[in-house]
Amino acid sequence: MKYAKITGWGKCVPPAVLTNDDLATFMDTSDEWIASRTGIRERRVCHCNFSDMAIVAAKRALAAANLDASEIDLILLGSLTMDSLCPNTASIVQNAIGARNAAAIDINSACTGFLYGLHIGTNLIRTGAHQKVLVIGGEFISHYMNWARRDVAVLFGDACGAVVLEACNEPSGLLAAKIGCELDTGEAIQITNLGSAYSRLTDDFLYPDWNFEGQEVFKRAIKAMAFACDDVLQQTGLTIEDVNIMVPHQANRRILDALAKRLGIPEEKIMVNVHKYGNTSAGTIPVALTEALEEHRIKPGDHVLMATFGAGLTWGAGLVKWGERVTPLSISDAELPPCHQTALEILAPHIERYSARAKE
Ligand code: UT7
């Protein structure tokens, strides 16, 4: 039976840092409130296109696998904040990195986009349909944020990550996954005024707005992720004690603590970076996975448990058996274009737009 080993990994976090204190300069919030309710201290704001982040993350993942982009036969890009709907953004990345032999597919399942992509890519390799797949997940969510909404705006940030999957014969890569979507919760996290539904065809698209039922999502997230984790452990015949490290979706430190307690996994086995980046949606798991490797927290043969949830409400978990290599084969020199503004300067036109509208 074929497996899909993770042979490359990379992240791209934009340089402009937006701290909790920065947010408090233009909305009624505080570092104390944000840090105590979410664990978030700062997040990044993208100064270029979403695809620029995806391209850099992809090039770094390809270098780590020591592959030329032309060897990739499929690109799966998970995000809800694409550069473009037509052409799709995966094709923009495919062109930019020179992956001339790759098909290119966008996946929009919100925060779960990376794990959904990892599951699809792995299974396309396992059937023999594809050999080398690039799975990217990330978000340019600052672009879609309502900067007048303190209950949503403080939670998110921009970033992107990527992995390379290659067919192999020994058990390695995603051994089992469970993905799903709840019924009757579509409105719990919603950008209310973008899309082609007739109700949304108004000038309001200039001011993306959110419906966000934080407490409802909080409770459902823990339940759904715990269910999905139990399922993948059962599928693989492993127990929680066999898990060496958990790399979960980073939405809220309190969610991670509650999930760890429910699963019975010690805190020191959970990879946490939500304090640095906030919730980067489809970017959280590939960025946290890359940082876990950079920090030497993943060892050859480790069992890595992933869990995720997001708008939909979509959810999932995956159990990865890591291969023998935990260091990159080579390093890419890809970088984002230089950034000459602070995060507050980048956001100023958006903040101004929302505040002018509030005065209308
Ligand atoms: O990837 C999926 C993304 N979704 C999530 O991860 C959401 C999961 N939910 C959460 O993380 C939490 O529910 C939140 C962090 C969103 C909210 O935490 P909470 O403890 O559930 O707070 P709350 O919604 O009950 O709000 C408590 C108070 C309210 O004031 P009143 O009505 O008690 O006077 C809010 O207006 O805190 C107020 N508040 C704020 N205060 C200062 C809400 N946002 C802020 C803010 N700064 N940024």
Side-chain angles (χ1 to χ4, degrees):
M1 188 186 208
K2 269 195 183 153
Y3 292 90
K5 188 188 289 191
I6 300 178
T7 59
W9 50 88
K11 66 172 187 191
C12 177
V13 292
V17 176
L18 185 72
T19 65
N20 292 346
D21 287 337
D22 288 334
L23 285 164
T25 63
F26 67 92
M27 62 172 62
D28 183 15
T29 191
S30 64
D31 177 53
E32 198 284 325
W33 192 95
I34 302 168
S36 64
R37 299 287 176 131
T38 70
I40 301 167
R41 291 278 179 190
E42 56 189 45
R43 71 286 294 139
R44 302 297 175 97
V45 173
C46 183
H47 63 289
C48 47
N49 291 330
F50 167 69
S51 61
D52 294 321
M53 290 193 291
I55 290 161
V56 170
K59 286 183 174 174
R60 290 176 179 172
L62 285 168
N66 209 18
L67 286 186
D68 189 83
S70 63
E71 296 176 78
I72 296 291
D73 56 20
L74 178 65
I75 296 175
L76 298 168
L77 174 56
S79 179
L80 64 94
T81 50
M82 300 291 185
D83 281 24
S84 155
L85 293 181
C86 182
N88 73 1
T89 304
S91 70
I92 295 173
V93 175
Q94 183 250 11
N95 273 252
I97 64 174
R100 61 179 181 276
N101 298 309
I105 304 175
D106 286 354
I107 298 174
N108 178 2
S109 60
C111 299
T112 57
F114 174 77
L115 192 78
Y116 268 43
L118 186 63
H119 178 56
I120 296 166
T122 296
N123 284 289
L124 285 172
I125 286 178
R126 293 183 84 160
T127 63
H130 288 268
Q131 300 300 314
K132 291 184 172 56
V133 178
L134 182 60
V135 183
I136 309 170
E139 222 69 74
F140 182 8
I141 209 141
S142 64
H143 187 72
Y144 283 138
M145 193 42 67
N146 177 343
W147 291 101
R149 287 277 303 273
R150 68 176 183 173
D151 60 327
V152 191
V154 304
L155 303 175
F156 292 95
D158 303 332
C160 199
V163 296
V164 172
L165 308 179
E166 292 187 63
C168 71
N169 289 320
E170 69 277 17
S172 184
L174 188 68
L175 299 185
K178 175 75 179 169
I179 62 172
C181 181
E182 298 206 10
L183 292 178
D184 302 326
T185 52
E187 290 176 5
I189 306 175
Q190 195 183 22
I191 299 180
T192 53
N193 52 352
L194 295 181
S196 63
Y198 275 102
S199 59
R200 294 171 177 218
L201 295 179
T202 70
D203 287 348
D204 265 4
F205 70 84
L206 292 171
Y207 304 92
D209 201 5
W210 292 67
N211 189 50
F212 195 81
E213 297 164 19
Q215 291 191 355
E216 187 64 20
V217 177
F218 192 103
K219 282 183 276 183
R220 286 178 181 269
I222 297 162
K223 209 167 144 193
M225 287 195 290
F227 168 78
C229 287
D230 286 343
D231 189 284
V232 295
L233 288 173
Q234 213 163 32
Q235 285 185 55
T236 49
L238 298 171
T239 68
I240 197 71
E241 283 76 33
D242 297 317
V243 172
N244 303 97
I245 182 166
M246 183 164 187
V247 182
H249 176 48
Q250 312 277 318
N252 184 324
R253 177 72 210 226
R254 285 159 54 218
I255 293 178
L256 300 184
D257 293 344
L259 180 64
K261 200 167 161 202
R262 192 150 169 165
L263 291 173
I265 186 166
E267 204 182 306
E268 58 274 14
K269 283 191 177 179
I270 314 270
M271 179 65 199
V272 180
N273 63 7
V274 70
H275 53 291
K276 294 193 288 183
Y277 306 126
N279 179 352
T280 62
S281 182
T284 58
I285 292 181
V287 170
L289 181 71
T290 301
E291 294 199 342
L293 285 152
E294 288 168 352
E295 293 167 17
H296 311 293
R297 291 189 61 179
I298 297 179
K299 306 273 181 280
D302 269 1
H303 292 122
V304 183
L305 181 62
M306 299 171 177
T308 183
F309 71 97
L313 295 172
T314 56
W315 49 264
L319 195 289
V320 168
K321 184 167 172 59
W322 203 261
E324 68 287 352
R325 187 166 54 76
V326 289
T327 50
L329 286 173
S330 59
I331 307 285
S332 164
D333 58 5
E335 293 289 348
L336 290 177
C339 175
H340 303 293
Q341 289 176 298
T342 64
L344 279 175
E345 285 167 351
I346 296 167
L347 293 179
H350 298 283
I351 296 166
E352 177 52 37
R353 209 151 36 95
Y354 280 101
S355 102
R357 192 180 195 221
K359 288 182 198 138
E360 275 173 15

